[in-house]
Amino acid sequence: MQVAPSETAALNSYSPELRQQLFLCVLQLADTSLILGHRLSEWCGHGPVLEQDLAMANIALDLLGETRSLYQYAAELEGQGRTEDDLAFLRLAVEYKNPLLVEQPNGDFADTVTRQFLFDNFHYHFLRALKNSPDERLAAIAEKAVKEAAYHLKWSSEWLIRLGDGTEESRKRLDKALDTLWRYSGELTKPTATEQALQAAGIIPDYATLLPTMEAHLNHVFQEATVPVPQGVFMMTGGKEGRHTEHLGYILAELQYMQRTYPGMKW
Amino acid sequence: METVEINLEEQFQARIDADIRIEPKDWMPDAYRKTLIRQISQHAHSELVGMLPEGNWITRAPSLKRKSILLSKVQDEAGHGLYLYSAAETLGASRDQMLADLHSGKAKYSSIFNYPTLSWADMGTVGWLVDGAAILNQVPLCRTSYGPYARAMVRVCKEESFHQRQGFEIMQTLCEGAPEQKAMAQEALNRWWWPTLMMFGPKDADSPNTEQSMKWRIKRFTNDELRQKFVDMMVPQAEFLGLTVPDPALKWNETKQGYDFGEVNWEEFWNVVKGNGMCNKDRLGARVKAHEEGAWVREAALAHAKKRAAKAETQAA
Amino acid sequence: MNQSEWPLWEVFIRSKQGLDHKHVGSLHAADATMAIQNARDVYTRRLEGISIWVVESQHVHASNPDDAEAFYDPANDKVYRHPTFYQVPDSIKHM
């Protein structure tokens, strides 16, 4: 693959160690969008109303677009000749580094909205800061994705409010969804060693700086939804280091089916 | 009173004959309205149910590019269903009622979607063959006599044009790929060829409503005309791909400048129409489930909108 | 029939700056905010628009086709309202 001169320059300016860390981090971001996009695409044809079927497919398509840009960049960083599809389809479960939240099942619409809101609130604020990364490729990917994420956050915020301050049943279901999913929200802003290294190098934003705006938005949405913010919940972690819930295996069984059954073919 | 009615009906037909579009508030015969609601809603239902056989493969698509294309294609079908329901709503039908008719089995949808999608090549075949057949049906409807229907069809056809191409591209990639891929493509064509020919409906002799529908210009070609056109269009494409159309009777007819082809299995056709296809129960079951499980979501959104409106009112007061 | 059907909205889209909003179709939504977002998701998937209006369908008032003759035919013989009605000598420019 032909690499533009400025990109080569940027890649070459990293030490081998940092470049490896960056590769792992980009991979983690790609895995995250892939798995969440995959989950959302499961709704296609089964949404609660036709208009929302289209809305969820739009979000899934945005995430898949972001996924591809990230895997392509990861493949270049790795420089081993692997393609976006090799990275997306041909790794082992422990090699996927998405946070646990995004692999959780769709459940009912309240589960999906809750999972989406918790992720969007991080994703949007993260991308907004990532736009300023000195890494030009990451900054460019963030520049495009942040516009999409802004819309996702709007969508999931409004739905969370509707479900919280809707009917008795929708409130009950939202409470249940929060009870299941809140414990996966902490992992998003808890940096791994890889993320810490990149934060120290100034390539990705320090999550501590994102927290105030994230919390402000979350508090506002929960207040509108008349839902108390859960307190003192033990936070589950591990996904970003390859220790997953059982759900990921089933996702990969479907996702990888064709590539595993027919190795090395063009589609 | 009687003469006035006859007069209106004559005027109505005269407008149609002059290719003047009928718009929602114009006078129209009850039978025209009813037939249109049936036809448009049936078309909308087909888009909605048609999401399922392909949606089935989104999570298994073999590459990221194919996954995005397939998802956006199935999403388009949701959009097309929506445009068509909207067109039917201008005739006084409600979407809820139309869906209730679908769910109760009173309303029909295209039988082709009662066949299972069993391999990745089916995504190619459905796009190439099934959408190809649908386009033949749909393009003439862009000039149908009822304005909102014609406008919805213009939008549908514009978006649909990529669907067939992506299907053909999948087939071409398979046919130029490994032997397993080529075999996958042939196997899919074998399964889908005949059901696709059935999509054009029963033979003209067994299609009693065709005459009236043609007169009203809500149908512009007969079933057999379209079927012939389809075969003539598709056989060269199959040859290009190096695939064999599974019909021993298929033969070029120099005099009619078209292909002769074998008889569709009409017993199978009527069986699937009556509900005995491989997937009738699954497809309808999935739609009913989505609608019923969505009820609380729709209710919550309405309840919240009401609360919000009430709050805005007290604040304004 | 359950009572959970969302109201119907008419959607108008400005396809590019400088053009007016044009009716493109309708959709269902629980409130105006959702109607605009649904319109975005349904009717602008292929860069069809840069601005959206939605109006709840029940608030659209339409003229009656029965009035068409009385409404529109009287304009028929007022040809003097059109510039082509007037003959201007060939030698006169810029008119």
Side-chain angles (χ1 to χ4, degrees):
Chain A
M1 172 170 290
Q2 204 72 34
V3 180
S6 65
E7 286 158 14
T8 320
L11 294 190
N12 289 342
S13 68
Y14 295 128
S15 70
E17 296 77 27
L18 192 60
R19 188 173 163 142
Q20 173 64 16
Q21 301 281 28
L22 183 57
F23 165 70
L24 289 174
C25 180
V26 173
L27 208 52
Q28 173 196 315
L29 296 174
D31 291 343
T32 305
S33 304
L34 173 68
I35 300 300
L36 187 58
H38 181 100
R39 277 297 192 212
L40 278 174
S41 77
E42 292 172 358
W43 270 105
C44 190
H46 308 277
V49 67
L50 205 40
E51 283 82 352
Q52 293 307 317
D53 227 308
L54 280 129
M56 286 190 278
N58 268 346
I59 299 175
L61 283 167
D62 287 343
L63 289 169
L64 283 174
E66 190 188 343
T67 302
R68 292 187 63 189
S69 308
L70 288 164
Y71 278 135
Q72 284 160 14
Y73 185 32
E76 283 170 40
L77 284 167
E78 188 190 38
Q80 303 286 325
R82 285 207 278 184
T83 65
E84 60 175 59
D85 286 334
D86 294 336
L87 292 172
F89 294 96
L90 294 172
R91 286 181 297 140
L92 302 172
V94 288
E95 294 169 328
Y96 284 78
K97 298 294 163 64
N98 57 280
L100 300 173
L101 177 70
V102 298
E103 68 198 37
Q104 299 311 305
N106 286 343
D108 65 13
F109 190 69
D111 291 313
T112 294
V113 163
T114 303
R115 183 185 65 200
Q116 196 63 35
F117 173 77
L118 294 173
F119 176 72
D120 292 342
N121 194 30
F122 166 73
H123 193 214
Y124 168 70
H125 291 101
F126 170 71
L127 290 171
R128 214 174 53 161
L130 190 66
K131 269 196 320 186
N132 304 318
S133 171
D135 185 283
E136 284 172 22
R137 286 291 289 282
L138 273 184
I141 292 170
E143 179 85 39
K144 179 176 177 294
V146 74
K147 296 178 200 161
E148 299 164 347
Y151 190 81
H152 304 167
L153 182 58
K154 204 170 161 60
W155 181 85
S156 57
S157 300
E158 278 164 17
W159 269 110
L160 196 122
I161 294 167
R162 283 190 193 104
L163 299 185
D165 189 24
T167 60
E168 216 172 290
E169 173 161 22
S170 68
R171 176 54 179 272
K172 212 169 66 193
R173 286 175 183 265
L174 180 64
D175 286 343
K176 191 166 158 282
L178 278 169
D179 188 50
T180 316
L181 295 166
W182 181 264
R183 63 202 166 117
Y184 299 113
S185 63
E187 186 183 9
L188 299 172
T189 49
K190 187 163 183 267
T192 60
T194 297
E195 288 168 311
Q196 277 169 352
L198 291 164
Q199 287 172 342
I203 294 174
I204 65 167
D206 183 346
Y207 298 151
T209 64
L210 307 179
L211 285 173
T213 39
M214 280 178 63
E215 274 171 19
H217 181 72
L218 186 134
N219 287 337
H220 167 74
V221 169
F222 275 55
Q223 197 180 350
E224 289 279 303
T226 70
V227 177
V229 177
Q231 301 293 337
V233 178
F234 179 83
M235 287 295 174
M236 309 293 289
T237 55
K240 293 202 289 193
E241 283 157 317
R243 294 190 313 277
H244 291 279
T245 57
E246 289 176 350
H247 304 296
L248 185 70
Y250 293 97
I251 293 177
L252 297 185
E254 274 188 54
L255 185 79
Q256 299 187 340
Y257 160 65
M258 288 295 293
Q259 288 272 348
R260 296 285 186 197
T261 313
Y262 303 96
M265 296 183 193
K266 279 213 179 71
W267 301 97
Chain B
M1 247 358 252
E2 183 84 342
T3 46
V4 174
E5 185 76 3
I6 288 169
N7 210 348
L8 281 173
E9 191 130 14
E10 275 171 8
Q11 280 172 10
F12 174 80
Q13 189 59 48
R15 291 183 72 180
I16 288 188
D17 293 342
D19 245 335
I20 297 171
R21 296 270 187 278
I22 307 301
E23 293 296 340
K25 297 192 84 158
D26 294 340
W27 185 89
M28 60 187 83
D30 274 349
Y32 176 84
R33 185 185 299 273
K34 270 191 203 137
T35 308
L36 262 182
I37 291 178
R38 197 185 59 218
Q39 181 175 330
I40 301 174
S41 65
Q42 188 169 322
H43 189 167
H45 297 331
S46 300
E47 297 282 355
L48 198 60
V49 176
M51 295 173 75
L52 300 169
E54 288 175 287
N56 174 25
W57 275 87
I58 294 170
T59 54
R60 285 179 290 172
S63 73
L64 291 176
K65 180 181 136 196
R66 290 286 170 214
K67 194 186 279 293
S68 298
I69 293 173
L70 185 60
L71 177 54
S72 70
K73 175 185 190 267
V74 181
Q75 182 198 38
D76 271 353
E77 279 151 17
H80 298 170
L82 198 152
Y83 307 154
L84 288 159
Y85 284 124
S86 297
E89 285 177 283
T90 64
L91 289 160
S94 79
R95 195 198 287 178
D96 254 8
Q97 184 57 54
M98 290 186 271
L99 287 177
D101 289 345
L102 168 68
H103 298 157
S104 72
K106 188 178 154 207
K108 298 281 176 235
Y109 56 88
S110 179
S111 278
I112 193 75
F113 302 120
N114 289 320
Y115 288 84
T117 49
L118 302 175
S119 79
W120 173 251
D122 288 20
M123 296 305 99
T125 321
V126 168
W128 170 49
L129 278 190
V130 174
D131 289 335
I135 289 170
L136 271 188
N137 254 320
Q138 289 167 358
V139 168
L141 291 175
C142 296
R143 295 181 295 119
T144 191
S145 62
Y146 186 58
Y149 189 22
R151 291 192 287 274
M153 289 315 301
V154 168
R155 193 173 278 275
V156 168
C157 287
K158 223 189 254 173
E159 298 185 355
E160 193 88 21
S161 55
F162 106 79
H163 294 184
Q164 198 191 7
R165 285 181 185 204
Q166 66 87 35
F168 186 79
E169 192 187 84
I170 291 176
M171 294 307 273
Q172 198 182 351
T173 310
L174 293 176
C175 290
E176 290 167 358
E180 298 99 301
Q181 288 174 296
K182 178 95 188 256
M184 192 193 286
Q186 181 65 55
E187 191 272 336
L189 177 60
N190 293 348
R191 270 183 295 113
W192 288 95
W193 176 257
W194 290 106
T196 309
L197 292 192
M198 296 176 198
M199 283 174 70
F200 298 99
K203 291 212 270 205
D204 291 350
D206 303 320
S207 177
N209 298 324
T210 295
E211 200 187 340
Q212 178 64 66
S213 291
M214 302 265 291
K215 209 173 143 213
W216 279 335
R217 302 203 180 171
I218 55 180
K219 185 167 180 171
R220 311 220 45 161
F221 294 98
T222 73
N223 297 351
D224 286 336
E225 282 168 357
L226 288 172
R227 197 164 9 244
Q228 180 69 51
K229 228 178 177 175
F230 178 76
V231 173
D232 293 344
M233 193 173 88
M234 283 303 167
V235 172
Q237 294 183 15
E239 279 168 3
F240 174 90
L241 292 170
L243 295 174
T244 309
V245 172
D247 179 0
L250 189 78
K251 198 169 162 238
W252 177 253
N253 181 328
E254 192 60 36
T255 7
K256 78 170 183 188
Q257 285 296 301
Y259 285 92
D260 291 331
F261 54 95
E263 189 69 22
V264 167
N265 181 346
W266 294 112
E267 195 188 331
E268 176 182 322
F269 171 79
W270 289 113
N271 261 327
V272 182
V273 170
K274 282 176 196 146
N276 298 319
M278 180 82 83
C279 300
N280 293 59
K281 275 207 182 319
D282 289 345
R283 301 289 187 240
L284 210 51
R287 285 312 318 161
V288 170
K289 183 166 179 278
H291 189 74
E292 284 177 355
E293 289 181 355
W296 70 268
V297 179
R298 299 190 297 275
E299 280 158 18
L302 271 187
H304 179 74
K306 270 189 200 131
K307 283 187 196 177
R308 203 167 255 198
K311 213 191 275 175
E313 221 160 85
T314 35
Q315 273 167 1
Chain C
M1 178 94 10
N2 62 47
Q3 294 301 308
S4 64
E5 183 161 73
W6 293 343
L8 192 64
W9 301 73
E10 300 301 322
V11 180
F12 301 81
I13 289 187
R14 186 201 295 286
S15 58
K16 63 179 194 194
Q17 205 68 21
L19 297 183
D20 47 14
H21 287 77
K22 187 168 172 282
H23 183 244
V24 294
S26 59
L27 48 75
H28 289 272
D31 53 48
T33 313
M34 194 202 279
I36 289 176
Q37 288 183 18
N38 287 354
R40 179 263 193 193
D41 285 323
V42 173
Y43 289 106
T44 69
R45 303 199 304 289
R46 289 178 171 82
L47 302 171
E48 293 96 332
I50 54 153
S51 166
I52 296 170
W53 287 352
V54 293
V55 181
E56 211 179 321
S57 306
Q58 61 167 350
H59 294 141
V60 175
H61 300 271
S63 65
N64 188 331
D66 294 344
D67 292 335
E69 289 182 4
F71 268 46
Y72 314 113
D73 287 359
N76 240 337
D77 63 350
K78 314 291 194 289
V79 282
Y80 43 78
R81 282 182 174 137
H82 300 279
T84 46
F85 178 72
Y86 303 92
Q87 298 230 333
V88 177
D90 285 348
S91 56
I92 301 293
K93 305 290 179 204
H94 310 298
M95 187 177 283

